[in-house]
Every structure is written in C-alpha cells, then in structure tokens.
C-alpha cells in the first residue's frame, strides 16, 4: 500500500502525478508490482530507481506534482 496526502489524490487520478519519491532506507516496491492507494485504487509500478536526493532537479519534481526540486527535499 502506498499512502499519499489528500492534496495529491486528484492529480494521481488524473494521471498528472506519475511518480513519487520516497526516502526509504531500503526498497519497499519493485517494478511490475501492483499497489493500492486508498482513495484512488490499484496502481501498477513501472519502475523503481535508487538515487541521491541531492541529485534531484526541477524536471524530477514535475511528474511528482511539484514545481521545484527543493520542494522534494525534506
């Protein structure tokens, strides 16, 4: 199960939020997995990539439903 704040649910349903960045110590999802989002339904995970939060750019923020890379950082 993937949990999201309510403000993101409409964008997920509309297909404008197509990725999420998670700060996990280890991967909890894998490509090809189906996951449930309460309020949205089932989604299919197409890819899971590991990266460094400092390497994120503004282009990475757009599919996440945000405007800047700074808004992705904790």
């Amino acid at each position: 199960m993937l949990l999201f704040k309510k403000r993101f649910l409409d964008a997920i349903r509309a297909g404008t939020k197509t990725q999420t960045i998670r700060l996990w110590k280890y991967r909890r999802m894998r490509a090809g997995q189906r996951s449930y989002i309460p309020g949205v339904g089932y989604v299919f995970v197409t890819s899971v990539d590991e990266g460094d939060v400092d390497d994120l750019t503004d282009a990475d923020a757009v599919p996440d439903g945000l405007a800047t890379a700074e808004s992705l950082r904790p």
Side-chain angles (χ1 to χ4, degrees):
M1 183 181 332
L2 286 170
L3 299 176
F4 290 87
K5 293 180 179 177
K6 288 181 183 179
R7 66 185 172 124
F8 291 118
L9 297 182
D10 286 338
I12 294 168
R13 283 188 213 101
T16 56
K17 179 172 173 52
T18 58
Q19 78 176 18
T20 186
I21 295 174
R22 303 292 170 128
L23 301 176
W24 291 335
K25 291 186 183 214
Y26 60 92
R27 285 187 196 183
R28 298 181 187 169
M29 304 295 294
R30 63 183 181 281
Q33 185 174 350
R34 189 173 90 150
S35 186
Y36 183 75
I37 300 173
V40 175
Y42 285 96
V43 295
F44 184 75
V45 178
T46 57
S47 69
V48 177
D49 302 311
E50 190 173 330
D52 190 282
V53 72
D54 293 329
D55 294 336
L56 295 171
T57 66
D58 290 347
D60 296 317
V62 173
D64 208 316
L66 301 169
T68 66
E70 195 58 40
S71 59
L72 294 169
R73 295 184 178 94

